[in-house]
Amino acid sequence: MVDKKDMAFGTAVAALRRLGDTSVWSLIVTVMGDSAARKGDKIAGPVLAQILEPVGVRPEALRVALHRLRKDGWIVSDKTGRTSVHRLTDKGLAETRVAASRIYQRQVNFPDQWYLFWAEPEETPPPPEGMLRLGRGMFLGQGEAPDCADFLMMQGHVKSVPQWLQTRLAGPDLMLAFDHLAAALNEVTETLVNTSGLSPLQIATLRMLIVHHWRRSLLKHPDLPLGFFPDGWQGGACRGLVMGLLDRLGRP
Amino acid sequence: MVDKKDMAFGTAVAALRRLGDTSVWSLIVTVMGDSAARKGDKIAGPVLAQILEPVGVRPEALRVALHRLRKDGWIVSDKTGRTSVHRLTDKGLAETRVAASRIYQRQVNFPDQWYLFWAEPEETPPPPEGMLRLGRGMFLGQGEAPDCADFLMMQGHVKSVPQWLQTRLAGPDLMLAFDHLAAALNEVTETLVNTSGLSPLQIATLRMLIVHHWRRSLLKHPDLPLGFFPDGWQGGACRGLVMGLLDRLGRP
């Protein structure tokens, strides 16, 4: 007999799975990033299998994905008796940390000062590091502008962003992905009003799905104030829903 | 016998004439702008002829140029007895005033605040009025930015101007023209240490030549702070020399 907790878990998983198929490879990266992101952290093969099982990942598919991750230098697997234990490589840890700094950020604060660098494309200076490319020869930076002799530089604040640029920063596909993500996260939030009866494995599965879909859309756009995005932008709302759910679920 | 004043006058005229040939048409526009720029101001044909005579303008060339100016709607000529009297038309007065506001400006003050408007060329919004075009899709304005939905707008201050843009705002030809103008104005300033013995007609001729060559280079570039121009820019020095000479010569 399925109890209420398991029904709620099933409803939440279904809502998140409707957001689209995901590769096993990519789900493992998410799990490792969510629960084994410090140097020395390990995750046992059977535990990984149980976390992925509710998403329909079979042991064979898991083996293939783990093999690929080892080959790409993301993870290392050791045998402890008959059990495989997996951990992120230094490269895997480093890339995970970069992504995590955006994925788990509760609030994005922006400076008062911004700067623009502009050069005619045919002047072809190398694009400035760390700046956001807005278009041909046009780059945006936050804070105090560094010295650079090749560009026209203006320091100040962005007064308005035209619609065509908003659409370039977040196109219709991304807008729709965030609409769907917000709807799914709202459904999960309503379904999991009380999370006290969930098992650690169920929590790990839910966290994986939430973080995975959040990351997928998040890393498709730069962090920018609301005025840079088209009307109806759900990115900020999704961040709030993700942080609320992760807080409520807690670490497994 | 040529007296000292006439020799100094001749030297000054020669220094200014070495700056290059000028059309008679254009010289008349300068004289009218310098001495008949208010509504109702008139200048008699014989006076005009005497002002232009030291520059080598013959009566026939003057007649042709006056005819052309009448045809273009710049001047109107009336007969008073046997003497022609010329005055600027409303159109001539209006265009003269626009140019005069830059030509006779003693000092150019710039605001703290500037703004940039940028759009990708293929977005093709109409270029904003009154702004300086720096390149494809890029415009610069002074003061407080107006509202405009089609451009990315940044309000602030220009931190640096790259060399390629300085060269675009003042190319090698203009740099050289200002070098020559500065040299000629320095020579005239040294030659005319004392202007008390010059005749009103001589003063008018000198003012015409000074204003004419100043205007010719001045109107080839926008008014911008020093940092927008290449190293060695003589535009500011020339403004000081022109104002100094006009003050010293006085109105004829």
Side-chain angles (χ1 to χ4, degrees), chain A residues 118-120 122-123 134-136 138 145 148-160 162 164 168, chain B residues 114 118-120 122-123 134-136 138 145 148-160 162 164 168:
Chain A
W118 172 75
E120 285 276 26
E122 60 262 39
E123 302 296 333
L134 298 180
R136 284 200 304 283
M138 178 56 103
C148 183
D150 299 326
F151 291 85
L152 174 70
M153 291 161 53
M154 177 172 266
Q155 176 91 52
H157 62 275
V158 175
K159 250 193 122 169
S160 83
W164 59 263
R168 179 177 293 189
Chain B
W114 295 71
W118 172 75
E120 286 275 27
E122 58 264 37
E123 301 297 332
L134 297 180
R136 284 201 303 282
M138 178 56 103
C148 183
D150 299 327
F151 291 85
L152 174 71
M153 291 162 52
M154 177 171 266
Q155 176 91 52
H157 61 275
V158 176
K159 249 192 122 169
S160 83
W164 59 263
R168 180 178 292 189

Side-chain angles (χ1 to χ4, degrees), chain B residues 75-143:
Chain B
I75 65 164
V76 177
S77 305
D78 303 302
K79 282 271 182 187
T80 305
R82 289 181 55 188
T83 308
S84 280
V85 174
H86 312 289
R87 59 186 164 85
L88 288 168
T89 60
D90 285 347
K91 172 193 159 190
L93 285 166
E95 300 208 19
T96 294
R97 248 174 239 137
V98 170
S101 68
R102 283 196 67 195
I103 294 166
Y104 297 100
Q105 196 173 10
R106 289 186 174 273
Q107 200 183 326
V108 185
N109 294 314
F110 298 106
D112 283 345
Q113 288 293 303
W114 295 71
Y115 52 93
L116 286 178
F117 276 31
W118 172 75
E120 286 275 27
E122 58 264 37
E123 301 297 332
T124 56
E129 259 181 69
M131 290 184 72
L132 175 64
R133 185 181 181 281
L134 297 180
R136 284 201 303 282
M138 178 56 103
F139 301 86
L140 179 72
Q142 300 184 24

Side-chain angles (χ1 to χ4, degrees), chain B residues 1-150:
Chain B
M1 194 188 129
V2 179
D3 73 5
K4 268 191 183 173
K5 286 296 163 201
D6 289 343
M7 272 183 66
F9 173 74
T11 305
V13 167
L16 292 164
R17 286 187 69 183
R18 276 197 301 276
L19 290 172
D21 283 338
T22 51
S23 68
V24 179
W25 180 90
S26 174
L27 284 172
I28 297 170
V29 167
T30 305
V31 172
M32 302 289 283
D34 194 51
S35 57
R38 281 165 308 178
K39 202 168 169 78
D41 282 352
K42 286 167 190 165
I43 192 159
V47 173
L48 196 57
Q50 283 176 283
I51 294 172
L52 287 163
E53 191 270 334
V55 188
V57 176
R58 287 159 186 280
E60 210 175 277
L62 182 56
R63 262 198 305 277
V64 171
L66 286 168
H67 180 70
R68 183 178 153 197
L69 282 166
R70 273 192 296 272
K71 232 182 92 187
D72 289 352
W74 265 87
I75 65 164
V76 177
S77 305
D78 303 302
K79 282 271 182 187
T80 305
R82 289 181 55 188
T83 308
S84 280
V85 174
H86 312 289
R87 59 186 164 85
L88 288 168
T89 60
D90 285 347
K91 172 193 159 190
L93 285 166
E95 300 208 19
T96 294
R97 248 174 239 137
V98 170
S101 68
R102 283 196 67 195
I103 294 166
Y104 297 100
Q105 196 173 10
R106 289 186 174 273
Q107 200 183 326
V108 185
N109 294 314
F110 298 106
D112 283 345
Q113 288 293 303
W114 295 71
Y115 52 93
L116 286 178
F117 276 31
W118 172 75
E120 286 275 27
E122 58 264 37
E123 301 297 332
T124 56
E129 259 181 69
M131 290 184 72
L132 175 64
R133 185 181 181 281
L134 297 180
R136 284 201 303 282
M138 178 56 103
F139 301 86
L140 179 72
Q142 300 184 24
E144 195 71 31
D147 284 331
C148 183
D150 299 327

